[in-house]
Amino acid sequence: MAACKLIRSVLTGTATLLVLLTVGNAGPLPQQGQNQDDELQMGQEVFNELKAKGEIVESSPLYDQLTPIAEAITRAAQPRYNHPFRFYLVHEAQPNAFATPGGNVYVVDSLLYFVRNTEELAGTLCHEVSHTIHHDTVTLMEKQRKIEAREVGAAVLLGPTRAHVLAILLLGKLHSLSYSRDVESRADLTGSDVCAATGYNPWGLIWLFQNFKNANIGQVPQLLSDHPNDQNRVEALEQHFQKNPSVFEKFNSDPKSATPFSVPKNAPEVFLR
Ligand SMILES: [Zn+2]
């Protein structure tokens, strides 16, 4: 099962993703360079794949709405991560945002149509950069690699670096990454710190949770759908705000104070080729 998953990941990847599997050897993978550089390589491989699939938006009026928020978040988050954060719009059906190791943050265009205010969008992006700051994806993929290696008794040999193998695993799970609730909650808290530092009201993420709970919406962004019972996350955020009044007291918890957010309908998009 796990082997099938791994092989399928390889087959659906680019032609250059050639991995040789050998049965019966679960030894360590060749290590090349620092973990941090592995993150950069993982991020680059995902970028190449999304580009090859024609999903990355090169230019669009949607960037006019996204860029100021992304720049403010980058200013606040960059001191906590050693590769530059870069934000890309991608075209997919499911409203979502996801960050990959190495600093790239992908914002699905439909998310811009989905959020009700600037704070909800900023909260989502602050949450995603926090996964990168915490190295959550690389940790999860490394765990996955160990499980798959044990399950199939296979190791990936002859050439591919650890980063390459982790990137393949990540490509196979890009849209179904499931972090534990604790990992999600930790990204919420760091995300709220990042958002507070930008001046965007960190209550935005809580409003987003509440909107989904109250609304009868078929499409739920992945960052929420894995953990439909978000009350724990909301409570953890509220406690965090209460414990740090000097940071959070100035922000209004009332969604009526939110900054309305809207984007032009059916905005044109030019894709990176
Ligand atoms: Zn998350």
Side-chain angles (χ1 to χ4, degrees):
M1 188 66 178
C4 294
K5 221 183 294 169
L6 182 59
I7 291 164
R8 193 169 62 240
S9 304
V10 173
L11 291 177
T12 56
T14 58
T16 54
L17 299 181
L18 180 63
V19 171
L20 300 178
L21 289 170
T22 179
V23 173
N25 182 348
L29 290 173
Q31 300 275 335
Q32 287 193 5
Q34 301 291 312
N35 285 358
Q36 293 296 317
D37 294 333
D38 285 357
E39 294 201 3
L40 210 52
Q41 191 185 336
M42 286 174 73
Q44 188 61 48
E45 291 198 28
V46 172
F47 179 88
N48 293 346
E49 179 71 9
L50 291 172
K51 184 183 163 192
K53 284 160 81 180
E55 287 190 19
I56 297 178
V57 179
E58 185 176 28
S59 66
S60 167
L62 294 175
Y63 274 113
D64 297 342
Q65 314 292 112
L66 175 67
T67 302
I69 302 171
E71 283 177 351
I73 292 171
T74 299
R75 277 194 297 276
Q78 198 60 75
R80 307 176 71 161
Y81 190 64
N82 66 337
H83 296 298
F85 282 112
R86 292 198 175 89
F87 289 74
Y88 296 96
L89 283 165
V90 287
H91 180 70
E92 290 180 7
Q94 176 91 338
N96 198 11
F98 51 95
T100 62
N104 287 349
V105 182
Y106 299 96
V107 183
V108 173
D109 46 9
S110 52
L111 183 69
L112 270 57
Y113 292 92
F114 193 85
V115 295
R116 302 209 298 202
N117 53 59
T118 301
E119 291 80 1
E120 290 179 357
L121 179 61
T124 307
L125 303 185
C126 289
H127 171 96
E128 291 303 323
V129 298
S130 299
H131 279 311
T132 303
I133 290 168
H134 294 157
H135 311 285
D136 288 335
T137 309
V138 73
T139 304
L140 185 66
M141 289 306 106
E142 182 62 32
K143 207 185 279 174
Q144 194 63 39
R145 180 187 74 75
K146 284 182 180 151
I147 291 167
E148 295 200 356
R150 197 169 56 230
E151 279 179 0
V152 301
V156 180
L157 298 176
L158 301 177
T161 60
R162 169 180 175 272
H164 183 59
V165 173
L166 297 183
I168 290 166
L169 285 171
L170 177 55
L171 280 168
K173 293 175 188 303
L174 202 55
H175 298 93
S176 58
L177 279 179
S178 53
Y179 299 113
S180 68
R181 184 167 290 157
D182 285 350
V183 166
E184 291 294 8
S185 197
R186 211 160 60 96
D188 290 340
L189 300 195
T190 299
S192 72
D193 293 340
V194 169
C195 262
T198 66
Y200 286 119
N201 189 337
W203 282 87
L205 194 57
I206 294 182
W207 297 339
L208 190 68
F209 289 146
Q210 289 167 345
N211 282 348
F212 284 118
K213 218 166 75 180
N214 299 336
N216 224 346
I217 299 164
Q219 289 186 314
V220 175
Q222 190 211 326
L223 99 142
L224 301 175
S225 62
D226 285 341
H227 300 288
N229 177 11
D230 294 304
Q231 199 46 42
N232 297 335
R233 288 171 67 182
V234 169
E235 280 166 17
L237 274 166
E238 287 177 351
Q239 278 171 19
H240 184 63
F241 295 170
Q242 278 160 18
K243 267 191 235 157
N244 302 280
S246 62
V247 178
F248 295 102
E249 209 172 42
K250 60 175 177 269
F251 294 107
N252 192 338
S253 63
D254 187 348
K256 290 197 187 83
S257 69
T259 316
F261 182 84
S262 66
V263 286
K265 272 207 170 75
N266 303 317
E269 295 179 324
V270 176
F271 293 96
L272 190 63
R273 299 286 178 189

